[in-house]
Amino acid sequence: MEVFWERIRQDALSGRGINAEDALTVLRLPQVEIWRLLDVSETVRRHFKGDQIRLCSIVNAKSGLCSEDCTFCSQSIRSKALIKKYPLIEEEDIVMAARDAKLRGAREFSIVASGLSMHNRRELDRVGNAIARIRTDMGLETCVSLGALSAENISYLLSRGLRSVHHNLETSRRFFPSICTTHDYEVDVRAVCEAKAAGAWVCCGGIFGIGETVEDRVELAMTLREIDVDSIPINFLNPIEGTPLQGKFDLTPFCCLKIIVMMRLCHPAREIIVCGGREVNLRDLQGLIFAAGATGMMIGNYLTTPGRPAEDDLRMIEDLGLRVQPL
Ligand code: SF4
């Protein structure tokens, strides 16, 4: 076992990342080993990323009414969750949300819309205009999560000042058909590869606690490595009432931490951003996400659920002796 500990430390510090077998061992380690694991992941995070933490924030610019049937999502066609449903909000409202995000300390602002893809030219123009203002007037980094965008539409948004395209693979190729039957995994893989080819910074990760196995978690990590994503958002299921996964609390805080560690050791030099489900799944252990290897987190509200006050997150970062990455 000593060989294992030395190997994962060295493989991660070398920048290549640990192999699938060791990633699986990490996820299967007993709870008592968590502190030794955090020592490794903290060393690796500091080696590549120092003590700076990236904060991002989102606006749910178009909510609900999605044609897709993702089991975990309150906006899907299968969901009976009592959420607000509305078409794309006005440019001014997007810009106002970005202003609030900047005041909360966010460095990056993402415009998120439900649906498999945004094709409508008028909608894209509205998003493009908002991006241009957010970039020029506020200096925030901009991101969109608008589904599987065409290369042409990504190029248009990049020309307006967009930096990142977010599109999650959600889980492993093997498990995906169990959580979504309305589109194929390859549609998402292609969308991510096209965004990268178009020159966008690509933010792509998944959601955990949806019934996947530890093997699925490792398979997702390896697929993300194959397609060479830049930033990995990690979501933990918040099993909202009215969704097919309502009430499914499979994760423990230690389990969440091991998932973050596994991602950090598989992707030593990438950004790892902890997003939805942080508060409900990690509870009082939220402060350990950075030792586990996270280099950022989402602050403010999530898509259809409220986050905790941004001041609490900023205080947590300060108390840990870390620093918010400035604009
Ligand atoms: S995750 Fe995205 S594609 Fe799936 S149902 Fe929700 S909004 Fe639609």
Side-chain angles (χ1 to χ4, degrees):
M1 206 56 188
E2 282 314 307
V3 177
F4 162 78
W5 287 103
E6 192 45 34
R7 187 172 60 239
I8 61 170
R9 187 183 289 268
Q10 288 313 326
D11 284 356
L13 285 173
S14 73
R16 8 174 230 282
I18 62 174
N19 62 34
E21 203 181 317
D22 285 341
L24 209 48
T25 305
V26 164
L27 292 179
R28 288 184 172 143
L29 283 171
Q31 189 161 317
V32 68
E33 299 283 18
I34 194 75
W35 307 109
R36 192 164 181 191
L37 205 46
L38 292 180
D39 175 53
V40 178
S41 52
E42 162 74 2
T43 305
V44 174
R45 182 184 58 77
R46 279 195 184 270
H47 178 77
F48 288 101
K49 298 290 179 185
D51 63 355
Q52 298 214 351
I53 302 300
R54 285 176 71 90
L55 299 179
C56 63
S57 204
I58 60 169
V59 63
N60 191 1
K62 184 196 222 179
S63 177
L65 313 164
C66 183
S67 60
E68 304 308 292
D69 68 352
C70 308
T71 50
F72 55 85
C73 180
S74 58
Q75 305 192 72
S76 89
I77 195 166
R78 262 156 86 168
S79 162
K80 295 187 174 51
L82 297 173
I83 59 161
K84 284 190 192 150
K85 298 176 184 171
Y86 47 84
L88 188 68
I89 61 175
E90 296 299 324
E91 176 188 324
E92 200 55 44
D93 295 325
I94 299 175
V95 172
M96 261 168 48
R99 211 168 277 134
D100 286 349
K102 186 174 179 181
L103 287 175
R104 281 196 294 268
R107 174 195 172 89
E108 180 165 3
F109 180 71
S110 186
I111 303 166
V112 186
S114 62
L116 187 58
S117 183
M118 183 177 278
H119 301 294
N120 181 308
R121 189 69 224 181
R122 277 179 40 215
E123 289 189 338
L124 273 168
D125 279 340
R126 196 181 296 172
V127 171
N129 291 343
I131 287 171
R133 288 175 62 191
I134 294 165
R135 185 72 204 129
T136 315
D137 301 350
M138 291 172 228
L140 284 171
E141 286 176 355
T142 54
C143 172
V144 291
S145 184
L146 306 176
L149 290 171
S150 68
E152 189 191 336
N153 288 341
I154 293 171
S155 297
Y156 161 70
L157 294 172
L158 288 172
S159 76
R160 303 303 310 270
L162 180 71
R163 175 178 183 261
S164 318
V165 170
H166 166 266
H167 192 76
N168 279 342
L169 295 186
E170 310 300 5
T171 189
S172 69
R173 189 174 265 113
R174 185 202 73 83
F175 188 58
F176 188 78
S178 308
I179 59 151
C180 178
T181 63
T182 43
H183 70 272
D184 195 76
Y185 197 72
E186 301 315 318
V187 170
D188 294 323
V189 172
R190 226 175 8 252
V192 176
C193 293
E194 280 181 10
K196 202 161 170 72
W201 173 272
V202 168
C203 182
C204 171
I207 180 163
F208 299 89
I210 55 176
E212 81 285 358
T213 62
V214 280
E215 286 84 0
D216 291 316
R217 292 170 189 167
V218 171
E219 190 190 315
L220 172 63
M222 293 298 144
T223 304
L224 296 174
R225 188 146 81 188
E226 269 165 39
I227 61 177
D228 196 23
V229 302
D230 300 299
S231 177
I232 302 171
I234 293 182
N235 297 277
F236 300 113
L237 179 70
N238 183 355
I240 296 171
E241 212 182 313
T243 62
L245 297 186
Q246 72 173 34
K248 187 173 178 57
F249 279 103
D250 283 358
L251 299 169
T252 63
F254 280 111
C255 184
C256 296
L257 292 172
K258 281 197 290 184
I259 290 168
I260 301 170
V261 172
M262 184 274 290
M263 277 296 175
R264 168 55 58 216
L265 301 184
C266 286
H267 298 270
R270 298 297 185 224
E271 298 294 342
I272 293 181
I273 317 289
V274 175
C275 300
R278 164 165 59 94
E279 293 90 339
V280 291
N281 285 285
L282 281 141
R283 301 188 283 280
D284 286 348
L285 299 196
Q286 285 177 69
L288 292 176
I289 62 172
F290 304 114
T295 47
M297 66 178 178
M298 186 180 286
I299 57 166
N301 292 337
Y302 301 109
L303 284 171
T304 61
T305 53
R308 68 176 189 168
E311 308 81 67
D312 293 354
D313 287 331
L314 295 173
R315 192 178 319 112
M316 176 173 82
I317 291 168
E318 194 184 334
D319 289 348
L320 287 164
L322 299 167
R323 288 184 298 139
V324 173
Q325 192 175 348
L327 271 177

